[in-house]
Amino acid sequence: MTGSAGYQGSPRGALVDPGFAGLTAENRWLRTRHAQRHLLDLATGVLAAQMRLPPTEAAEYLESLAGATGLSAEDIAADVVNAVAADGGPFVTALPGSGGHAGEHLAERRWVRRTAAAAETSDTAGEAARTLLDGGLSSIGADSLWLWRHTGPGCLRLAGHAGVGAAEAVAWQWIPPAAPEPFRTVLAGNAPVWLEEGPADGVLLPGPAPDAARALLPLSRRDRTVGVALVGWPGPAALDAAARRAVTGLLEVAGTVLDAEDPGPPLPVLVDVLDSLAHPAALLRTRGTSGAASVEHLNDDAVTALGGAAPASGSSLARAFPVVHAELARLTRRALATTRVQRAARLPAAPRTGEAPPMLDVRVLPAGEDHAVVLWHTTGAPGPATARAVARLQGVAPFQDSLTGGETVWAPQAYGILGMDRGETPIPLPGLRERVHRDDGDALTELLTTLTERQTGAQTVLRIVLPDGTVRHVRVAAEPLIDEGAVAGIAGVYQDVSDSRRTEAALTATFDHLTALHDQAELRHQLALQLQQAIVPEVPGIQELPGDLVVAARYRPAAEEYRVGGDWYDVLALPTGKILVAVGDIAGHGIDSVTGMVALRNAQRALAFTGHSARRLMGWLNEVTLRTGGGTTATAVCALYDPEDHGLVWSSAGHLPMLLLREGRARLLDPPQDILLGAVPGYAYREQRIGLRPGDTLLLYTDGLVERRHAGLDEGLALLAADAERLADREPDELVDELLSTATGDTDDDTSLVAVHVRGRPSER
């Protein structure tokens, strides 16, 4: 099932006022109307279920409430949905004059619900973030919103953001498992963290200043954490109960948005990360088992290192790296085979026009099954070229220390890197110990030992804790100054590598998880498909049943592997002599939908043996769905055929209408207008009866057979009826096979189709 709440006919398209000036204004108007319609539809569905009204009467009742109270229909709809969301009780407890919330609190709840409804209709997580920030969070002083999707054990990937610069978004695309403490607390405890004066000293979070207020909240969907949200303020803020209530209410819908949106391939994110690095990087794509590779992307530093002319995307390794392509191909094959980083200390220069520096500290990292990333560093010619290269680098500052009583000399940039004023006295390298993070003390000791005792150059990265508590990653590269066999001083450079450390950590997390995510997705798909085929096997030919019934059933998986769904069908002779015929469709796709399908199909089979009516079976199945967990919903048809009087009695839970093929003509059997399974408890389903005649064929099916992306459902049903009439003379097994082959559905959803045929000619009975 692709998200429809059940078959209610096709809505008519809205007409846009031709007086609107420009597509932007028209698009904004349509989105606003879509959000309002979504909220009204939710409220209408609640009223229809609780008051047992047809949808049309429920919508009219909603309008009458708006007229009686003097409120807008959207405000009344927000009250109705809020009442059910709060405690599942009757909606009237939240309406004005009926003892519910009043005044500012009620207005706040309406505002939150309307903003959430607008966000829920967004096409992407980024659009939802902008809606939540502009339509709600900004009114309580917030100026930024981050939404990360949970992609693996402790790993978060940025799915959407608002009020955030592009460079900062790239730097925080990935939150690796070794995340700052607030992220770990939110994921482990599934509880929000409120930081009115920013995080603790030494903890780095997105934001304009260390003391700016932040709120981190888990985003949940069906009792599982699907992501984390971070709301930012421009400075310290008092987050009182009202502000926390508003933030929590607005972000409830974000979990639904993250869970519903397809995250898509991660490679565009890799390109962004590579472009943010301060050294050359290339993205390679391999082809087949031969390991042949092509270049998909080079960052700017890589283009410069290779001579300034970027090869076209898809160029061979030999063209981009003419001297070292064989060695790079070997490293790439090993990286993909072992899923481990491969290294080379030095590869020769690629001959191009002008000077081409060698490739130093080469690393090849696997990125999924058929991609790899190459990282390397370069040095230019000695003398002026080195000076020009250092001058072009941001955050680099030479220094020189005397170990014989002389002074320490810093370049001007060093003061900013180490968080000191220009008027302060420079600190020699050994004296930085008080400013170094306590966990990096051993690294500083090892660096000094190498310089002074081993008398050789070395480098390391230290975390420097600045006076305001901010932590900065500083690379220290130094050489000893030796005079008559003793170390008289130290010369080197400080480089602020905070941004690149974050992006490289994110890149490493990306590589670690790409293969794992692919393997997990493939395993879940195979498990889901095997489970579905085991529980709902296809009837290979035809099945003979009492009462001159012949049945043919088929199941067609989704076109895309990861979309294995929750369709099921069942045809079963019962001890009472009646025959159960059923079709159902669990909302969603994947292993969760398949396991939910198994639970409902088995429950329906067991309940059918009680001998009760179709409507009673459907009511019980609704209670089973509500107790399955995870917010499962489904549509279904449950029919009982009596061979004695040839009558078919059925109930429908929001499912598509059955199709009766009689004497060469097809017609849809209008189902009772009852709600889908798992919506509300205690719902009383209705049933209808029709007599079947010899020669009749009854078709039961799921939405994958008729739903089309760019057409209404009524059009798909009409085409099905026309195809059924054209194939009316076919045997049941031939009929279902040809209907599947000519099906008009194009949503790539899975499909179940059951044909029940009564043997004999129309004149026999």
Side-chain angles (χ1 to χ4, degrees):
M1 187 164 60
T2 57
S4 57
Y7 172 72
Q8 303 291 344
S10 297
R12 296 186 180 274
L15 295 177
V16 181
D17 183 356
F20 275 97
L23 292 176
T24 301
E26 181 179 318
N27 182 59
R28 188 182 305 112
W29 182 85
L30 287 172
R31 289 189 178 279
T32 302
R33 290 292 300 162
H34 184 36
Q36 293 172 345
R37 186 71 261 166
H38 176 63
L39 182 57
L40 293 174
D41 287 345
L42 286 175
T44 299
V46 171
L47 291 174
Q50 292 193 344
M51 303 183 69
R52 299 184 179 177
L53 295 173
T56 303
E57 293 183 19
E60 293 173 353
Y61 183 64
L62 183 66
E63 292 291 340
S64 68
L65 283 176
T69 59
L71 298 171
S72 68
E74 289 82 6
D75 280 343
I76 293 294
D79 289 339
V80 171
V81 177
N82 279 333
V84 174
D87 56 13
F91 71 91
V92 292
T93 61
L95 295 180
S98 59
H101 301 289
E104 293 183 0
H105 193 189
L106 182 56
E108 173 192 307
R109 285 165 54 84
R110 289 172 181 158
W111 159 67
V112 168
R113 178 58 60 186
R114 294 177 72 162
T115 302
E120 195 170 13
T121 61
S122 300
D123 295 330
T124 65
E127 182 182 317
R130 289 188 292 273
T131 299
L132 291 171
L133 180 63
D134 297 340
L137 293 171
S138 61
S139 65
I140 55 176
D143 65 350
S144 62
L145 173 61
W146 304 73
L147 300 177
W148 286 278
R149 179 180 285 104
H150 192 200
T151 62
C155 191
L156 300 169
R157 175 188 169 199
L158 188 62
H161 57 81
V164 177
E168 191 176 13
V170 169
W172 290 92
Q173 281 282 355
W174 285 94
I175 307 296
E181 179 57 38
F183 287 100
R184 295 200 300 270
T185 300
V186 171
L187 288 173
N190 197 34
V193 173
W194 307 94
L195 306 171
E196 296 183 335
E197 297 181 353
D201 291 346
V203 176
L204 186 63
L205 290 178
D211 61 349
R214 279 90 149 183
L216 290 91
L217 296 89
L219 303 178
S220 301
R221 172 71 167 162
R222 297 180 177 176
D223 299 326
R224 63 186 179 89
T225 301
V226 297
V228 171
L230 186 149
V231 183
W233 282 260
L239 305 179
D240 57 15
R244 297 186 182 195
R245 186 170 58 245
V247 171
T248 303
L250 285 166
L251 291 179
E252 281 181 353
V253 72
T256 302
V257 173
L258 289 186
D259 194 40
E261 186 194 31
D262 179 10
L267 290 180
V269 177
L270 291 183
V271 170
D272 290 340
V273 173
L274 297 184
D275 286 342
S276 70
L277 296 177
H279 55 75
L283 177 64
L284 309 183
R285 179 181 180 89
T286 61
R287 298 186 298 274
T289 58
S290 65
S294 59
V295 179
E296 283 204 349
H297 181 73
L298 297 169
N299 69 1
D300 289 342
D301 288 300
V303 173
T304 301
L306 296 177
S313 178
S315 297
S316 66
L317 269 184
R319 180 177 179 183
F321 302 91
V323 173
V324 299
H325 66 90
E327 180 63 14
L328 283 179
R330 185 186 67 82
L331 293 174
T332 300
R333 287 194 297 271
R334 290 189 58 187
L336 294 178
T338 63
T339 66
R340 299 174 69 91
V341 178
Q342 302 299 312
R343 299 178 182 273
R346 179 186 177 96
L347 294 178
R352 287 191 177 274
T353 58
E355 183 182 7
M359 301 174 66
L360 304 177
D361 188 23
V362 180
R363 287 160 292 165
V364 180
L365 302 91
E369 286 190 330
D370 54 2
H371 283 83
V373 167
V374 181
L375 306 175
W376 75 95
H377 293 84
T378 63
T379 59
T386 301
R388 290 195 303 270
V390 172
R392 288 193 304 107
L393 293 175
Q394 294 183 352
V396 173
F399 72 92
Q400 184 170 325
D401 294 338
S402 172
L403 302 183
T404 59
E407 62 180 4
T408 292
V409 179
W410 283 358
Q413 297 91 335
Y415 294 91
I417 292 174
L418 299 175
M420 295 176 58
D421 293 332
R422 293 288 293 272
E424 296 184 70
T425 302
I427 302 173
L429 181 58
L432 288 179
R433 188 174 298 275
E434 294 182 358
R435 295 173 177 259
V436 170
H437 192 283
R438 60 180 180 273
D439 293 339
D440 289 351
D442 291 344
L444 177 58
T445 299
E446 176 63 22
L447 174 64
L448 293 173
T449 299
T450 302
L451 292 169
T452 58
E453 296 182 11
R454 302 188 185 103
Q455 298 187 2
T456 185
Q459 68 170 338
T460 189
V461 175
L462 302 174
R463 284 172 289 179
I464 305 296
V465 182
L466 304 186
D468 62 1
T470 303
V471 175
R472 184 166 291 166
H473 291 78
V474 177
R475 174 179 284 117
V476 184
E479 292 286 338
L481 301 177
I482 302 174
D483 183 14
E484 297 182 356
V487 178
I490 300 172
V493 294
Y494 296 125
Q495 182 183 14
D496 182 0
V497 295
S498 301
D499 289 342
S500 62
R501 292 288 287 191
R502 281 199 300 267
T503 53
E504 288 197 31
L507 187 60
T508 300
T510 304
F511 300 147
D512 290 343
H513 282 83
L514 281 175
T515 301
L517 289 175
H518 179 274
D519 293 344
Q520 291 171 10
E522 178 64 20
L523 179 61
R524 287 171 65 86
H525 162 68
Q526 292 297 334
L527 178 59
L529 188 58
Q530 293 171 10
L531 184 59
Q532 186 163 43
Q533 291 172 344
I535 300 299
V536 190
E538 194 173 89
V539 178
I542 58 175
Q543 182 181 2
E544 303 279 354
L545 291 169
D548 294 327
L549 285 190
V550 179
V551 175
R554 299 289 187 271
Y555 171 75
R556 182 182 64 186
E560 299 180 42
E561 293 183 351
Y562 64 85
R563 290 176 58 88
V564 175
D567 283 15
W568 87 86
Y569 59 83
D570 207 355
V571 180
L572 181 67
L574 302 173
T576 60
K578 296 181 179 180
I579 296 171
L580 170 71
V581 182
V583 165
D585 186 0
I586 293 276
H589 300 85
I591 188 67
D592 293 336
S593 296
V594 175
T595 53
M597 173 273 293
V598 173
L600 294 190
R601 183 174 185 267
N602 289 342
Q604 186 179 54
R605 278 199 153 201
L607 293 170
F609 275 75
T610 64
H612 280 278
S613 63
R615 64 181 181 85
R616 177 64 66 86
L617 295 181
M618 194 68 83
W620 284 338
L621 197 60
N622 180 52
E623 299 302 320
V624 172
T625 307
L626 288 165
R627 288 160 177 78
T628 299
T632 299
T633 59
T635 66
V637 171
C638 177
L640 294 173
Y641 175 71
D642 189 346
E644 295 296 327
D645 62 4
H646 312 291
L648 183 85
V649 180
W650 87 95
S651 282
S652 174
H655 200 77
L656 296 167
M658 296 186 294
L659 186 144
L660 177 64
L661 192 58
R662 172 174 290 172
E663 297 180 355
R665 300 298 301 274
R667 70 182 178 97
L668 298 170
L669 303 181
D670 291 331
Q673 297 295 318
D674 286 332
I675 64 175
L676 73 172
L677 300 173
V680 295
Y683 188 81
Y685 288 87
R686 293 164 290 180
E687 62 185 21
Q688 294 181 194
R689 182 186 185 280
I690 186 173
L692 295 184
R693 306 172 187 172
D696 285 352
T697 298
L698 193 66
L699 295 179
L700 298 84
Y701 50 92
T702 55
D703 51 9
L705 187 68
V706 294
E707 279 194 345
R708 307 178 72 188
R709 291 189 178 93
H710 305 296
L713 188 57
D714 287 345
E715 182 178 339
L717 293 172
L719 290 173
L720 173 63
D723 286 340
E725 289 184 353
R726 179 174 55 83
L727 303 171
D729 59 343
R730 303 292 198 275
E731 290 296 318
D733 54 342
E734 297 174 347
L735 175 63
V736 293
D737 288 336
E738 293 197 38
L739 284 176
L740 278 178
S741 66
T742 60
T744 61
D746 63 357
T747 60
D748 296 332
D749 202 3
D750 53 346
T751 301
S752 289
L753 175 61
V754 179
V756 180
H757 178 70
V758 183
R759 285 197 184 280
R761 298 182 179 276
S763 60
E764 292 181 8
R765 200 180 286 157

